[in-house]
Amino acid sequence: MNLLSALALGLGALFWLWGTAPLLGRAALLVKLHSLTVADTLGSALILLGLLLRGPRQWPLLLLALAMLLIWNALLGYVLAAQPPLPPGRREP
Amino acid sequence: MTTPIPPLPAALPVLLLTTALRLTLWCLLTSDLSPLNLGLGLAVALLLPHRRRTLPLGAFLAALGQALVAIPQAYGEAFRLMLARQPLNGLVREPSQAEGSDLVIALEIFRLSVTPFTLVLGLESDGRHYRVHRRRPGPTQRGKGGRQR
């Protein structure tokens, strides 16, 4: 169980690094948001899962954190990505 | 746009659902299942403001199922995006099954936002489609179990 937990924590950290590194680059906002989904939502969820596997003592708070993470990340990602519709004839840059 | 307030029986499913959700969050937050705490949680869940609204139950359950299935799918997409050499970007339209229900819209936006391939940019003016920005592995990755939608 500890091995599984370490695996989840390590993979989560990897997701974090891969997804957060593009923030420093010059990529478009939406491209950065795609990789942030990987880092923030999926990576953080893996890390929380790894912590959950360590024992049931902190389960209520960790489960609450997991639920809030998934909901708020997805919806705040939407808030960041939401744009007015493109005028007709204009293509995505 | 104003929607008429539905009568109480029609709004009951949403009332029960939100109360149950609030009570669950209360129990997780306090991590205490004693009767006194449950009663307090129930009181708080009922006293917090409720909005009367109806729920298209079939669409809601379908969206809930798809949103839950999307979480493991998101990990598969994350790996494929991480391995992709030259991902393709583009705008697509995704149909919405929401029938005007904001709960179903929230679930559908969750499903599209949680998967790394898709980001929701907004609802089309017709209200029946989402504008979705899609980033997915390029042609070299196709055929490796790549799901084309």
Side-chain angles (χ1 to χ4, degrees), chain A residues 11 14-15 18 29-31 33-35 37-38 41-43 45-46 59-61 63-64 67-68 70-71 73-75 77-78 81-86 91-92, chain B residues 24-25 27-31 71 74-75 77-79 81-83 89-91 106 109-111 113-124 131 133-135:
Chain A
L11 205 60
L14 182 77
F15 274 27
W18 182 86
L29 169 73
L30 292 177
V31 172
L33 275 179
H34 279 287
S35 32
T37 308
V38 175
T41 314
L42 301 178
L46 266 181
W59 273 14
L61 276 185
L63 282 176
L64 186 68
M68 291 300 112
L70 286 173
I71 295 171
N73 263 18
L75 294 185
Y78 167 63
Q83 297 167 340
L86 288 173
R91 305 283 303 167
E92 166 75 357
Chain B
T24 311
L25 292 180
C27 290
L28 283 175
L29 190 63
T30 55
S31 52
I71 297 175
Y75 283 97
E77 292 190 8
F79 280 116
L81 200 60
M82 286 165 89
L83 296 174
N89 293 311
L91 279 181
I109 290 179
F110 171 83
R111 166 174 64 86
S113 300
V114 84
T115 46
F117 284 3
T118 47
L119 279 177
V120 186
L121 306 183
L123 205 58
E124 295 273 15
R131 279 181 300 119
H133 186 267
R134 190 195 274 168
R135 182 172 171 82

Side-chain angles (χ1 to χ4, degrees), chain B residues 11-73:
Chain B
L12 205 58
V14 182
L15 193 76
L16 288 176
L17 203 69
T18 42
T19 308
L21 185 69
R22 288 170 184 180
L23 191 58
T24 311
L25 292 180
W26 174 270
C27 290
L28 283 175
L29 190 63
T30 55
S31 52
D32 178 5
L33 286 179
S34 67
L36 175 66
N37 190 52
L38 280 179
L40 278 175
L42 194 62
V44 170
L46 286 172
L47 285 176
L48 283 174
H50 285 270
R51 243 179 68 199
R52 274 195 202 180
R53 48 189 162 193
T54 54
L55 187 68
L57 204 60
F60 174 76
L61 290 177
L64 186 65
Q66 285 170 356
L68 291 178
V69 169
I71 297 175
Q73 269 176 7

